[in-house]
Amino acid sequence: MSKDVTLVYIKIREDLQSDGSKTESVGGVDYHRLYVPYKRMIEKGERVQFFGWEKDEQGNRMGLDMLKHFDLSNVKNLVIGRFAQIGNHDAFSKWLRDRDISLIVDNDDFWELENDNPAQEYYKKVAGPNIIASLEIADVITTPSEYLRDKMSKLRTNAEFSIVHNAINPDHENWNWYEGDKDFSEAKFGYVGALGHKKDIQTMGVDWDPYQLTVVDLGGYPDLLKAKSTMPVENIFEYGKQYKEFNVSLCPVKSNIFTRCKSPLKLAEAVYTDTAIIATESTPYRDFIEDGKTGLLCRHHLEWRKKVKMLHENPSMIEDLVEASKDKWKDFFHIDTQNKIRKELL
């Protein structure tokens, strides 16, 4: 029997609904970094198998303990994300080594949050130590950020590092709705983002009253930006449809260690929805955007004001930015391109 199977652990999240019921879903991190790429591999015939949703007789999620119930004789690799909960990391590492299974840990975020992030205390006490301990027992670490790779290389790890970017599967329902018919007759600005980004969006310093701005209805962002319209919060399998509402994606970040460790995912999403991008001139965006050609970069609030106004008054620029960005990045951010790197690691 050949030893060529890769197991991928997906952490299932339970969300409490307004009516008291619970729904199960995949978190955003595992969706982008594990579910999308490895599901594509399965569709291409690769020997990959997901697990993580199984429950015991009492209805409790089994998590990584499910491994004890598998025949692992043909398993070569185990892939986990940064939120996988491991009780005793050293014992888990030995258990895998005894079975000749390589541990691949994917990490796309720095483990220390800024003071204004609401999850800072949780990261400090729970998530951060677990992420570090997982990285220290990894055989291979995948990440979309060279800056984050350099941070991780200072930990006590002998792991091989590999840069694998977030990417888009255009056949997925998140993106296959787009038919190339976006309107560029006027500038329509949009912001989509998760919780904890108030400080980021405040760096723009733009009075949005003269402009058409649509913002995801989350975290008080619409009120903060005085947006003319809002977009509902979509689940992770449908959020891509939010890009129907605008043709310029706003990507402000408050430059710090945490944001410099982020990936340019919004650029990939923009490329596959014919959306121009205007971002803070900071890593990661300045590493991927040629200012004035494939997007716009802003060093401070005065440049944000100037360049937003410029696109508003010259909407023909938007399509030019879109076409240049697609020419440069569309193949790069295709899931099959990035999966070639993953396949070499398996």
Side-chain angles (χ1 to χ4, degrees):
M1 179 183 296
S2 60
K3 197 173 179 68
D4 60 355
V5 172
T6 294
L7 294 179
V8 181
Y9 173 64
I10 302 290
K11 185 175 181 181
I12 303 301
R13 187 179 71 186
E14 290 189 348
D15 296 322
L16 184 64
Q17 304 301 301
S18 57
D19 62 359
S21 63
K22 291 183 179 180
T23 59
E24 296 182 343
S25 183
V26 179
V29 174
D30 278 4
Y31 171 82
H32 289 294
R33 299 299 300 168
L34 302 179
Y35 178 80
V36 170
Y38 287 100
K39 184 173 186 291
R40 182 70 164 184
M41 285 190 181
I42 293 171
E43 293 168 352
K44 296 285 188 178
E46 298 296 326
R47 300 265 286 168
V48 174
Q49 179 178 331
F50 289 131
F51 75 103
W53 50 83
E54 301 86 356
K55 295 181 179 180
D56 61 21
E57 294 179 354
Q58 288 73 44
N60 299 311
R61 192 81 62 190
M62 297 181 68
L64 288 169
D65 284 342
M66 187 63 198
L67 289 170
K68 299 174 183 177
H69 299 272
F70 287 146
D71 176 2
L72 302 174
S73 57
N74 64 345
V75 175
K76 181 181 179 183
N77 307 293
L78 170 65
V79 182
I80 65 173
R82 60 184 167 96
F83 284 135
Q85 295 294 318
I86 301 173
N88 186 322
H89 288 78
D90 289 337
F92 185 67
S93 177
K94 182 179 185 303
W95 189 85
L96 291 176
R97 288 198 307 271
D98 289 346
R99 289 155 181 81
D100 195 24
I101 298 174
S102 176
L103 178 62
I104 301 174
V105 178
D106 185 86
N107 181 39
D108 70 335
D109 256 345
F110 192 49
W111 47 88
E112 295 178 12
L113 303 189
E114 297 297 308
N115 292 333
D116 57 355
N117 193 301
Q120 185 196 45
E121 196 64 20
Y122 170 74
Y123 261 69
K124 183 177 181 180
K125 292 182 178 180
V126 180
N130 182 68
I131 291 170
I132 292 173
S134 297
L135 295 172
E136 289 180 341
I137 64 170
D139 297 295
V140 177
I141 297 173
T142 54
T143 180
S145 165
E146 293 183 5
Y147 188 92
L148 179 56
R149 177 201 58 194
D150 294 343
K151 288 290 182 183
M152 292 188 289
S153 66
K154 297 176 183 178
L155 299 174
R156 293 179 303 165
T157 179
N158 295 317
E160 171 190 353
F161 287 91
S162 182
I163 302 296
V164 188
H165 285 278
N166 285 318
I168 300 296
N169 178 358
D171 298 329
H172 190 276
E173 58 265 32
N174 238 334
W175 313 107
N176 64 8
W177 55 268
Y178 186 62
E179 298 178 351
D181 54 355
K182 187 161 283 189
D183 177 25
F184 297 106
S185 62
E186 61 177 328
K188 298 178 181 179
F189 300 93
Y191 178 78
V192 292
L195 288 170
H197 291 288
K198 284 187 176 180
K199 295 291 185 181
D200 292 322
I201 64 178
Q202 285 175 328
T203 61
M204 292 186 289
V206 176
D207 176 8
W208 292 99
D209 187 62
Y211 310 115
Q212 189 167 337
L213 173 65
T214 303
V215 176
V216 64
D217 193 6
L218 183 69
Y221 299 156
D223 291 337
L224 187 62
L225 293 172
K226 296 180 173 59
K228 285 186 169 64
S229 58
T230 63
M231 296 173 282
V233 178
E234 301 286 359
N235 70 62
I236 195 63
F237 292 91
E238 297 178 342
Y239 82 98
K241 296 175 183 178
Q242 293 173 329
Y243 281 83
K244 292 180 180 180
E245 307 299 324
F246 54 92
N247 53 29
V248 180
S249 178
L250 305 174
C251 302
V253 294
K254 184 180 179 182
S255 184
N256 50 49
I257 293 175
F258 183 78
T259 57
R260 288 194 289 274
C261 289
K262 302 294 284 185
S263 79
L265 174 59
K266 283 190 171 65
L267 175 58
E269 295 169 349
V271 163
Y272 276 89
T273 56
D274 283 2
T275 306
I277 190 168
I278 176 170
T280 302
E281 189 182 20
S282 174
T283 300
Y285 294 112
R286 68 180 175 197
D287 301 325
F288 290 85
I289 296 173
E290 185 177 351
D291 187 34
K293 184 174 181 181
T294 60
L296 297 179
L297 294 172
C298 304
R299 292 171 295 178
H300 44 68
H301 69 281
L302 295 178
E303 289 197 349
W304 273 99
R305 294 173 185 175
K306 175 184 176 182
K307 294 182 179 183
V308 165
K309 183 180 180 182
M310 180 173 64
L311 291 182
H312 174 72
E313 294 178 347
N314 303 277
S316 62
M317 290 183 60
I318 299 172
E319 189 169 10
D320 293 338
L321 295 173
V322 165
E323 292 303 319
S325 186
K326 286 166 59 178
D327 288 345
K328 186 171 182 62
W329 295 115
K330 195 164 188 177
D331 288 342
F332 181 84
F333 284 119
H334 193 290
I335 192 64
D336 291 344
T337 302
Q338 296 302 318
N339 269 359
K340 289 178 182 178
I341 303 172
R342 285 187 175 90
K343 286 174 64 176
E344 292 175 357
L345 303 172
L346 301 184

